[in-house]
Amino acid sequence: MSAIIKSEMISRRKALSLMGLAAAFGLAAAPTVLTVSDAEAQTTAAPTAAAPTAAAPTAGMERRHGRRAARHERRQERRMARTERRQERRIARTERRQVRRTGTASGTGTTTGAATTTGTGK
């Protein structure tokens, strides 16, 4: 009696596995069923439309290239602004350091590092 009951039981893991296999098989079989059509083959004697060439891009390609160029320009502007901000921070940091060391700001020149301290205040 218990052998019959155990053979009829199925775990959730097995059930989900079977459902996954069924879904995968359905997805694999669907494109093959959908690709079959009754359309006739085109003849090569009279092509109806010429393919777009590199000399005459379509309107969609022009829009895409325009968006791409604008994106590159914005990116370059962000990079330049970031570089300028970084340079300004470095200059301001150097000036603050110079004021702390000597008591006067001497411009944006570099120091030789002779008057460095280890941070022990008096």
Side-chain angles (χ1 to χ4, degrees), residues 66-84:
R67 288 193 307 267
R68 183 178 294 171
R71 207 169 37 238
H72 286 290
E73 288 175 11
R74 287 193 308 268
R75 190 175 299 143
Q76 188 64 28
E77 288 174 4
R78 284 195 306 264
R79 287 176 182 160
M80 291 301 296
R82 196 166 38 233
T83 304
E84 289 174 5

Side-chain angles (χ1 to χ4, degrees), residues 47-112:
T48 58
T53 61
T58 61
M61 288 178 64
E62 290 176 2
R63 284 195 307 268
R64 185 177 67 196
H65 288 300
R67 288 193 307 267
R68 183 178 294 171
R71 207 169 37 238
H72 286 290
E73 288 175 11
R74 287 193 308 268
R75 190 175 299 143
Q76 188 64 28
E77 288 174 4
R78 284 195 306 264
R79 287 176 182 160
M80 291 301 296
R82 196 166 38 233
T83 304
E84 289 174 5
R85 287 192 308 267
R86 188 180 306 127
Q87 190 65 25
E88 289 172 2
R89 282 195 307 266
R90 287 177 183 163
I91 291 170
R93 192 179 311 129
T94 304
E95 289 177 356
R96 287 192 306 268
R97 188 180 304 128
Q98 189 66 27
V99 168
R100 281 195 311 267
R101 289 180 182 168
T102 62
T104 59
S106 63
T108 60
T110 60
T111 60
T112 60

Side-chain angles (χ1 to χ4, degrees), residues 41-49:
Q42 293 180 351
T43 59
T44 58
T48 58

Side-chain angles (χ1 to χ4, degrees), residues 1-2 8-9 21-22 31 62 70 73 75 80 106 116 119:
M1 179 94 179
S2 64
E8 292 178 5
M9 289 179 53
L21 287 172
E62 290 176 2
E73 288 175 11
R75 190 175 299 143
M80 291 301 296
S106 63
T116 58

